[in-house]
């Protein structure tokens, strides 16, 4: 049976990427440090993916197993040698941690076989696979690097599926019906159900990141400020819906200008995604969606990059500035990153967050607009 190794046995891994591999007749080996999940995968050998919709529907996912990479690294190296695909869904910040182990697996593999391996990082990050590739190469000697040619391929991708917080006592995963997995390659590669191949990923990944991820974050931060609990509850407030739509029109104006997208089609894409977010069956919390604000305020992420790109293009970014300000006011006590941001604000003011985390200068127009919005929202 064809083999896929997937780093990350969490809800995205099981409910999205791993499920697609299973449906495509791959055996999926999940690699993770969550001992309880790994043990359940090996005991139960299957789970269900349930669709968040009015009509109950679930899909049985079989041919799965798990390995704890902290305690059984040699086993991970073994499965890497047998795999056709190696994928990740662990969060961009964790990629450097798994790269040395993958490098060990590749070292063994390229010395033993000429079979091709395709590596895809399925993260909400532009160029995530390129990032992973560089960390892997940093762990390899020159001789092994040369052996990768024609044997190991690295493809960037864009992934899109909403998966809310789950009951951790079960392997079953609740997901929205809609999904998109776009992979950038000109190679002919083994078929995977639900995978779309494109020659140029940039329009797809930025469209997704600056519509789905930006929109989701804006809803979460505005909802948190308004005292809402869930995303769908937040979008019951038409004032917030209007603010979200106007923000996404700003990101959309950049996308239309940069990639030549059809403006009306993109506006329809915005509306479609707002309707996705209203799905009450997901019951998705604003604190879950808004979590890890330091990452979300990174210079290449969903709030700062569209604002800086809009400024460079001479386009409006006032609603984006308001969303960034709302993110600075996300003071959820159980979120470590949120508390770190609040400490910076307390010690040095809101502009310091944008200089230290977002890579913006203190006297930039964006910083000044965000600070104005910050004080207005706080008041």
């Amino acid at each position: 049976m064809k083999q896929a190794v997937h780093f990350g046995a969490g809800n995205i891994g099981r409910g999205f990427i791993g499920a697609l591999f299973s449906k495509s007749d791959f055996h999926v080996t999940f690699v993770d440090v969550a001992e309880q999940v790994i043990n359940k995968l090996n005991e139960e050998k299957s789970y269900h993916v349930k669709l968040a919709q009015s009509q109950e529907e679930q899909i049985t996912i079989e041919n799965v197993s798990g390995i704890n990479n902290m305690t059984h690294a040699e086993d991970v190296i073994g499965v890497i040698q047998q795999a056709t695909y190696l994928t990740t869904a662990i969060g961009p910040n964790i990629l450097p941690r798994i790269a040395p182990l993958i490098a060990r697996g590749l070292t063994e593999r390229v010395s033993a076989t000429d079979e091709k391996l395709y590596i895809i990082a399925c993260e909400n990050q532009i160029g995530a696979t390129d990032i992973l590739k560089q960390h892997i190469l940093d762990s390899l000697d020159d001789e092994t690097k040369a052996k990768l040619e024609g044997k190991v391929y690295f493809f960037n991708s864009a992934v899109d599926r909403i998966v809310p917080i789950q009951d951790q006592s079960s392997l079953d995963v609740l997901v929205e019906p809609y999904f998109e997995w776009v992979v950038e390659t000109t190679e002919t590669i083994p078929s995977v159900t639900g995978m779309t191949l494109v020659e140029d990923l940039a329009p797809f990944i930025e469209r997704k990141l600056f519509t789905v991820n930006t929109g989701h974050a804006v809803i979460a931060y505005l909802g948190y400020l308004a005292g809402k609990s869930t995303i769908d509850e937040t979008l019951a407030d038409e004032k917030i819906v209007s603010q979200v739509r106007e923000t996404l029109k700003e990101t959309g104006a950049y996308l239309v200008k940069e990639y030549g997208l059809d403006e009306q089609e993109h506006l329809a894409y915005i509306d479609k995604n707002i309707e996705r977010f209203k799905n009450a069956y997901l019951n998705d919390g604003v604190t879950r969606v808004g979590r890890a604000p330091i990452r979300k305020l990174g210079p290449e992420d969903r709030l700062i990059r569209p604002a800086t790109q809009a400024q460079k293009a001479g386009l409006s970014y006032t609603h984006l500035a308001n969303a960034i300000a709302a993110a600075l006011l996300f003071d959820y006590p159980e979120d470590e990153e949120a508390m770190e941001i609040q400490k910076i604000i307390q010690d040095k003011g809101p502009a310091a967050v944008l200089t230290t985390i977002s890579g913006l200068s203190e006297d930039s127009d964006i910083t000044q607009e965000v600070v104005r919005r910050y004080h207005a929202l706080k008041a």
Side-chain angles (χ1 to χ4, degrees), residues 20-312:
L20 293 183
F21 277 126
S22 174
K23 287 172 64 179
S24 306
D25 298 323
F26 283 80
H27 178 92
V28 187
T29 303
F30 290 97
V31 179
D32 206 302
V33 296
E35 184 71 19
Q36 185 178 3
V37 175
I38 294 301
N39 288 342
K40 280 188 176 182
L41 283 166
N42 291 327
E43 291 165 7
E44 299 178 16
K45 296 181 171 51
S46 69
Y47 58 89
H48 297 102
V49 171
K50 302 177 180 179
L51 301 184
Q53 58 188 21
S54 58
Q55 186 176 353
E56 189 172 311
E57 184 179 344
Q58 66 178 25
I59 304 158
T60 301
I61 306 301
E62 300 177 306
N63 299 312
V64 295
S65 59
I67 302 175
N68 187 325
N69 53 299
M70 292 295 290
T71 57
H72 293 80
E74 292 300 324
D75 291 342
V76 177
I77 292 169
V79 295
I80 289 175
Q81 293 183 62
Q82 305 299 320
T84 299
Y85 281 100
L86 187 156
T87 54
T88 76
I90 53 175
N93 296 339
I94 311 299
L95 294 177
R97 301 187 200 174
I98 64 168
L101 179 56
I102 296 173
R104 289 173 60 193
L106 295 183
T107 300
E108 297 285 341
R109 180 189 176 103
V110 296
S111 297
T113 180
D114 291 334
E115 292 293 320
K116 295 179 179 180
L117 173 66
Y118 306 100
I119 297 178
I120 308 170
C122 307
E123 312 290 348
N124 281 323
Q125 171 78 51
I126 295 173
T129 306
D130 289 340
I131 294 168
L132 176 60
K133 178 182 180 180
Q134 189 56 56
H135 286 299
I136 291 171
L137 293 178
D138 290 343
S139 298
L140 295 174
D141 57 40
D142 290 339
E143 182 182 354
T144 305
K145 289 178 189 176
K147 289 181 180 178
L148 298 184
E149 188 69 29
K151 296 181 180 180
V152 180
Y153 297 82
F154 295 85
F155 301 143
N156 284 309
S157 79
V159 291
D160 184 8
R161 189 171 218 175
I162 298 173
V163 182
I165 287 179
Q166 313 279 317
D167 174 9
Q168 298 301 314
S169 65
S170 170
L171 290 176
D172 295 348
V173 188
L174 177 72
V175 300
E176 68 163 332
Y178 176 88
F179 70 86
E180 186 175 60
W181 184 17
V182 183
V183 174
E184 183 180 60
T185 178
T186 57
E187 301 286 333
T188 300
I189 63 176
S191 176
V192 179
T193 299
M195 178 193 286
T196 300
L197 306 182
V198 299
E199 292 186 9
D200 183 11
L201 184 67
F204 292 89
I205 197 164
E206 288 213 329
R207 182 191 68 155
K208 184 264 176 177
L209 185 62
F210 299 157
T211 309
V212 181
N213 295 90
T214 301
H216 224 188
V218 174
I219 297 163
Y221 295 132
L222 293 178
Y224 181 80
L225 287 181
K228 311 293 186 182
S229 298
T230 63
I231 296 297
D232 62 289
E233 180 191 351
T234 301
L235 290 178
D237 185 330
E238 284 302 321
K239 184 179 178 181
I240 294 179
V241 172
S242 177
Q243 288 177 282
V244 173
R245 183 175 284 107
E246 291 305 313
T247 307
L248 296 182
K249 283 182 180 178
E250 289 182 344
T251 65
Y254 156 68
L255 293 168
V256 167
K257 186 171 184 178
E258 179 71 13
Y259 297 112
L261 303 183
D262 182 279
E263 184 175 4
Q264 292 306 312
E265 287 182 6
H266 187 69
L267 289 173
Y269 179 71
I270 289 171
D271 288 338
K272 180 177 100 172
N273 279 285
I274 290 174
E275 289 306 309
R276 285 174 64 197
F277 298 143
K278 290 180 179 179
N279 187 344
Y281 294 95
L282 290 167
N283 194 33
D284 210 359
V286 296
T287 53
R288 185 201 77 83
V289 177
R291 69 186 174 186
I294 288 178
R295 176 167 63 85
K296 290 180 170 66
L297 287 168
E300 297 300 315
D301 217 285
R302 64 207 71 190
L303 295 172
I304 302 300
R305 181 173 166 83
T308 57
Q309 293 301 101
Q311 183 192 38
K312 289 176 186 176

